[in-house]
Amino acid sequence: MKFHTKDYMNIVKRTVVFVVPLVVLFLVIFSLYEQSLEQQALQLLRTEQEKGNAIIENQLEAVFSQYVSDLLMVFYSDEFSSYVQDSTETNRVELEQLFVRIATKKNHINHIRFLDSTGMETLKIVHFPNKSAVISDPSSLVDRSETELFSFGKSHDENTVYISPISLESRQSYEDGHEGPALVLALPAYHEGSFFGLVIVDYDACFLRSFLDSYQDTVTKNIGFGLVDNDGFWIYQGGQDCSESLQEEEVKASLFLKDPALERYLLADDSGSYSSGETSYQYQAVLPSATQDLSWYPDKGRLWTVVSSYALAELPELSQNLLLQRPFLKWLFTLLLFLFSNAFIVFLQLRKAEQKQMQVSSLIAEYSGNGILAIDENNRIAFCNHAFEVLCGYTQEELIGKSTKKVLPYGIPPHLDTTAIHAGVSTTMPIWIRHRNGHQYLTNRTRTRAKTEYRKDAYTVEVYTSSSWRVSEFVSYVSENQGVLPEDLLAGCKGKSKTRYCLLIHLKHQMERDSPYSLITERGFSLKLTLFIASKLGQSEPVFAFSSDTYVVIMHEDDSSKVQNRITTLLLEIEEQCAALAQFVKNQAICGYSRCSGEDVSIPTILMQASMATKIVEDSKKGTSLLFDTDVQTRFLRKQAILAAIPDAFKSSSLSLYYQAQVDVGSGKILGAEALIRWIHPELGFIAPDEFIPLMEENHLTSMLGKFVIREAVGFLKANQEFLRSKVPNFNLAINLSAEEFSNQFIIDFIGDELTQQGVDSSLLSIELTERTAVESLLATGKLMDRLYQIGVGISIDDFGTGYSSLSYLLELSMDKIKIDRSFIASYPDSNAITIYKIVLMLAKELGITVVAEGVETEEQLHFLKQVGCNQYQGYLFSKAVPGDAFLEQLKG
């Protein structure tokens, strides 16, 4: 897409305002994160240094303690005490043997010596590891009177231990084959207050430092561990040969000369850390064993210092962190962020250009799955989404730049095209879309305006949603608003070649959908079904889909005797096709149709006629198709009149209760009655319950009707309570409740309130439930029955035998009466009817339930009921339902 100068300026502006600060912020955050990683790495390495130092320090202190113990073992031995008391040859030999035994057992001892008070070596044991110690030849004994060690002995008491430096010089030029550095410990001996001599043990210093070597080998990181004396000189560094390490020039140099500040830190505390510009140090002092009896020479507070160190330049590698090891990644990420941010800015600018700059995206988000169509000021298509492509059958490439008449054949009358000049949503209205296949689909269209950034003129954005119009409602809407009807339908009605019929096919869903279909799903279903209908009729006229449930098509047929069969066959084929297309939803296809041949035919007329016929078929629940005629029109208009009269029926006296007696089979006496609703309209005459009750159910008025019946029945009992009790002590009046009423807890409470307020004994009233209502939810029914029993109202099961083949529910529900449906007594003397009566009576007798036979009209039927032991009957043989006064007269008679 071509960019304008303003586009480039906007990109530069957004880069400076948003991208540059973002990149700077990223660098700051990343640098802080790097610093955090470095601090974490330093802390981890410091912890590892502290751990290593502590382990080595503990080992060195333990070994040094062992060295001191070896010295004290010699010094405090009985043999040495005897020799001090009496320096005879015998005592001398025993002392030499003691020296040999001790040295032989200790691989780390090189020599055990004794200097007399003149500094002359008088005893000397030589020992090599894993060999037996031997007594040195007397000729090898040396005068040590000029040594520092002898001077120490003469000037210190017998509780002061001499500790030599660890060095090659500590060997004192032995010529016995010991080449490694030595650590010398010595303790003066006194006899009767006079200096007697000096006990000396020479230890292999490499053994002492072997522990440092062992730990250094376990360290995977490049951290060096070593031992430093109190002057800062390296005694030993891990990884080097024990003897050679003391000869290295680098080792001989003092750490304190290299970094004077280190001395202040290292000698100030027993442990701690210090970082110079290049190296990070961690140190831990090795202290002599704390004892009250011994002192040390020289006494500097510590023996040596364990020092671990690493070069700070190696921190990234030691941390094993990728970001620290690869510092260029920060700049790489910064560059990528800059590039991606600029790419995003360019992308946003692209979205603002021309068609992409329209405010369609918000509508697409709001109406996901619905058809979106954008139209420019020249009424040409500028954009459409996938859902609209499904609606019309064309691709976006085929539509863009084309006139809307390609898919919107009828347009909108000017007085209805109320799209605002400014951005805003217009009133939703129905509009037809012509599919590529020629068939037409009704949708609901909503319009709004969307201005672009560069054009002063606004685009029109139209949203197309699913239609749920009924044909009659659509015709009424068009008539009231001077709208547009599909003209192609009128063209299909005209012609002289064959008689034509307008078929209105409606799909009745026998199971509820789990969830509403989307526009694409519904239109896909409708598309396949319209093509199927057209193929089965074999005609060129389009099919008009008012919704996914309603279709109108013109059928040609001159032979009137074939019309019904063709429609019936078509409906069956449609049901089979629906079963394949719409899983989990069972559809029954019904059809109302009207004759539409002739030049003077009008679309509203034929559509309303077909709609009337379809409505009659739908409500009658009998048959699947019906041709419109004057009788259909009469029935439809009467139904509409009844529907219009229902609101006023409750306000007038046209609704009332009639009473049909329930009679004892044996005696012929009235035991109770059933209250039945009757409506005698001043203009419509007698309106049967089958006519108005379904209408009330459709319009959710059954609750109002139920209250009316309850109030009237309780009022009748209130007015005649004493008379009824005097004539029939156990008199009971039954009223009917529908499934909707019975499931309403409010109605149950209303019954109790009415009985209480009017002061009527609750035992006078009972409720009749159909078998289907009682059994469909046994758990809920049982709870509501218990509530009625708490009030004191009886319960009867009406129309018994019509709903369920199993009698097991009689054991689960509490009831007072069973009313056997009239269809069974009407079939008498059919053997099946006789058998059913006998079985029900036998079971009812065991359960203590009264059985009432409905629809008894002949003496033969009554005689049969007496034979099988039926309790009560109800029917025209005794009386039809009569007004209250007439029923009271029956009781008097």
Side-chain angles (χ1 to χ4, degrees), residues 663-699:
V663 184
D664 182 72
V665 171
S667 65
K669 293 183 179 181
I670 298 176
L671 299 179
E674 179 183 1
L676 301 170
I677 190 71
R678 294 292 182 264
W679 186 6
I680 302 176
H681 193 271
E683 297 177 1
L684 300 173
F686 176 74
I687 304 174
D690 290 345
E691 288 186 278
F692 67 84
I693 289 180
L695 291 175
M696 288 187 175
E697 291 176 346
E698 288 180 13
N699 293 275

Side-chain angles (χ1 to χ4, degrees), residues 395-413:
T395 64
Q396 187 182 76
E397 289 75 14
E398 293 174 314
L399 291 177
I400 290 180
K402 302 296 190 300
S403 170
T404 56
K405 290 184 179 180
K406 185 178 183 70
V407 290
L408 306 176
Y410 309 119
I412 298 295

Side-chain angles (χ1 to χ4, degrees), residues 740-757:
E740 181 181 350
E741 293 169 325
F742 184 67
S743 62
N744 187 349
Q745 179 65 42
F746 177 78
I747 289 292
I748 306 298
D749 295 336
F750 182 77
I751 294 172
D753 294 341
E754 281 295 313
L755 290 170
T756 302
Q757 291 174 9

Side-chain angles (χ1 to χ4, degrees), residues 122-376:
T122 59
L123 292 175
K124 178 179 179 182
I125 301 302
V126 180
H127 176 244
F128 291 92
N130 301 318
K131 294 182 180 181
S132 297
V134 295
I135 301 172
S136 182
D137 185 85
S139 62
S140 64
L141 301 178
V142 181
D143 183 2
R144 303 291 183 183
S145 60
E146 301 299 326
T147 62
E148 176 190 0
L149 178 60
F150 182 71
S151 300
F152 155 80
K154 291 192 299 181
S155 59
H156 288 80
D157 60 30
E158 60 185 4
N159 292 323
T160 302
V161 177
Y162 172 82
I163 305 172
S164 74
I166 297 177
S167 64
L168 295 174
E169 288 75 10
S170 296
R171 295 179 301 175
Q172 298 191 4
S173 303
Y174 298 145
E175 299 176 355
D176 51 18
H178 289 96
E179 298 178 354
L183 171 65
V184 177
L185 299 183
L187 194 62
Y190 285 82
H191 177 62
E192 296 180 354
S194 299
F195 175 68
F196 180 75
L198 195 63
V199 178
I200 305 168
V201 180
D202 301 329
Y203 295 96
D204 183 359
C206 291
F207 176 80
L208 177 71
R209 297 181 303 187
S210 62
F211 301 105
L212 193 149
D213 265 338
S214 299
Y215 186 80
Q216 181 73 67
D217 291 340
T218 65
V219 177
T220 58
K221 296 183 174 67
N222 191 21
I223 300 176
F225 290 87
L227 200 60
V228 176
D229 64 17
N230 292 322
D231 296 321
F233 291 97
W234 285 106
I235 299 173
Y236 174 72
Q237 286 181 288
Q240 294 179 323
D241 181 80
C242 180
S243 299
E244 293 178 356
S245 64
L246 294 174
Q247 299 173 359
E248 296 288 340
E249 292 297 328
E250 183 179 347
V251 173
K252 293 180 181 179
S254 173
L255 284 175
F256 300 156
L257 293 176
K258 182 179 179 182
D259 194 340
L262 178 60
E263 181 179 10
R264 183 173 68 254
Y265 283 93
L266 191 143
L267 298 180
D269 298 304
D270 289 341
S271 63
S273 60
Y274 169 74
S275 292
S276 65
E278 299 177 352
T279 308
S280 175
Y281 297 97
Q282 192 76 24
Y283 52 87
Q284 176 68 48
V286 181
L287 305 176
S289 302
T291 174
Q292 297 179 350
D293 299 330
L294 296 177
S295 58
W296 315 98
Y297 176 83
D299 187 6
K300 295 186 178 181
R302 67 179 70 189
L303 299 172
W304 316 284
T305 303
V306 180
V307 176
S308 59
S309 62
Y310 63 88
L312 290 174
E314 297 180 1
L315 177 64
E317 293 299 326
L318 292 174
S319 69
Q320 297 179 352
N321 184 283
L322 183 63
L323 290 179
L324 295 180
Q325 293 174 338
R326 306 290 186 270
F328 67 87
L329 289 177
K330 175 172 69 175
W331 302 107
L332 177 61
F333 291 154
T334 303
L335 178 61
L336 291 176
L337 177 64
F338 181 81
L339 294 176
F340 283 133
S341 300
N342 272 285
F344 183 69
I345 294 293
V346 174
F347 173 74
L348 289 180
Q349 195 62 34
L350 283 171
R351 291 289 301 270
K352 289 180 174 294
E354 289 295 342
Q355 298 171 5
K356 299 292 183 178
Q357 295 162 5
M358 296 182 299
Q359 298 174 353
V360 176
S361 57
S362 61
L363 290 172
I364 293 176
E366 182 178 357
Y367 300 102
S368 58
N370 294 326
I372 306 292
L373 186 67
I375 305 171
D376 63 18

Side-chain angles (χ1 to χ4, degrees), residues 82 185 258 609 816 835 863 874:
S82 299
L185 299 183
K258 182 179 179 182
Q609 289 175 352
D816 301 299
T835 301
H863 179 69
Q874 179 180 338

Side-chain angles (χ1 to χ4, degrees), residues 76-96:
Y76 291 114
S77 66
D78 292 339
E79 288 85 348
F80 184 69
S81 297
S82 299
Y83 182 72
V84 172
Q85 294 296 327
D86 187 5
S87 303
T88 64
E89 183 65 22
T90 300
N91 288 340
R92 179 178 178 280
V93 171
E94 290 180 357
L95 183 59
E96 283 180 335

